[in-house]
Amino acid sequence: MQALTIFFYILIFIALIIFLSWYKSPKRIGKKGEKKVFNYLLQLSDDYHIINDVVFKTNKGTTQIDHIVVSKYGVFAIETKNYRGEIYGDDNREEWTQIIVTEVTYQRKWWKTYTYVTKNHFYNPVKQSMGHAFRIKEILKDYKHLPIVPIVVFVGDAVFSDVRTKYRVIYAKQLLQVIEEYKTTYLSDDEYHNVIKTLQDNNIRELIDNKTHIGNINSERHKRQDTVNAGLCPKCGGKLVLRSGRYGDFYGCTNYPKCKFTVNIG
């Protein structure tokens, strides 16, 4: 009987670990952020058509777009980031920085606290969003006059401490306002429906699973990383040299300012 009780508690402990692993997983957090953005998009009028979780083929594999909004005024490619902490970055850096500052209380000295700082890097969301917009523009090549607008939306508790960009990097509460700023009509009714159909026809989400898509992404990232490890710029082939900036040391391309590729250190 005692052995069964111990076995039962072990099962509960294992189940709890599995649940916490799932609950804190990047995939779940990402999907939660996408759902928040989708709820905002549902407030748009019937003039806008929403396509969620789109996967397009590219010459390097596949690219996944969280949301595409189609209207007569433009097509909006939306990339969602569910982050917290302070965000630092600009258009040219290969990676952006996330800093999370946590106040932790001493276990035995409850009146004392210490500051715990976590620093993470993530792929430049502007570059990611621009890649999405470029692929959409290729697919909609027959509509050269139609604006394709990349938007990066941060949900959660992220704060733009120092984000310098000429593109749309916004908080979720700003999303509808940004989309509705575009008021010039570029498409007729027939063209509007044809654009939607063209995007849907090119969407291969039902034909490709997440494992394959992530494999495509990782393969491309490994190629880029191998080039960087060799001291070469993956964008233009120039040499990478050590430089210092307001965010600390980084590697930059010797062909600057023609090539503005950079990569963070540490």
Side-chain angles (χ1 to χ4, degrees), residues 87-98 121-130 152 154 160-169 235 244-248 250-252 256 259-264:
I87 306 298
Y88 299 82
D90 57 44
D91 292 339
N92 300 317
R93 285 189 173 270
E94 187 72 3
E95 295 179 327
W96 283 18
T97 302
Q98 174 198 36
H121 298 298
F122 58 99
Y123 183 66
N124 186 336
V126 170
K127 291 180 180 289
Q128 187 177 8
S129 186
M130 290 297 293
V152 179
F154 278 81
F160 301 155
S161 291
D162 191 358
V163 172
R164 291 171 292 163
T165 177
K166 61 182 179 181
Y167 299 101
R168 300 289 193 166
V169 179
K235 190 173 181 180
S244 297
R246 63 190 305 173
Y247 302 124
F250 65 96
Y251 285 103
Y256 180 88
C259 178
K260 298 180 180 180
F261 176 85
T262 61
V263 61
N264 291 315

Side-chain angles (χ1 to χ4, degrees), residues 144-201:
K144 298 184 185 301
H145 58 291
L146 182 64
I148 311 297
V149 184
I151 302 176
V152 179
V153 182
F154 278 81
V155 299
D157 299 323
V159 176
F160 301 155
S161 291
D162 191 358
V163 172
R164 291 171 292 163
T165 177
K166 61 182 179 181
Y167 299 101
R168 300 289 193 166
V169 179
I170 60 175
Y171 298 111
K173 62 184 180 181
Q174 300 172 296
L175 180 58
L176 299 186
Q177 178 184 347
V178 168
I179 292 175
E180 291 171 347
E181 284 178 4
Y182 292 80
K183 300 181 182 298
T184 303
T185 300
Y186 292 92
L187 300 174
S188 65
D189 288 343
D190 288 341
E191 288 174 327
Y192 168 70
H193 292 293
N194 284 337
V195 165
I196 294 173
K197 184 177 184 304
T198 300
L199 292 173
Q200 290 175 334
D201 288 346

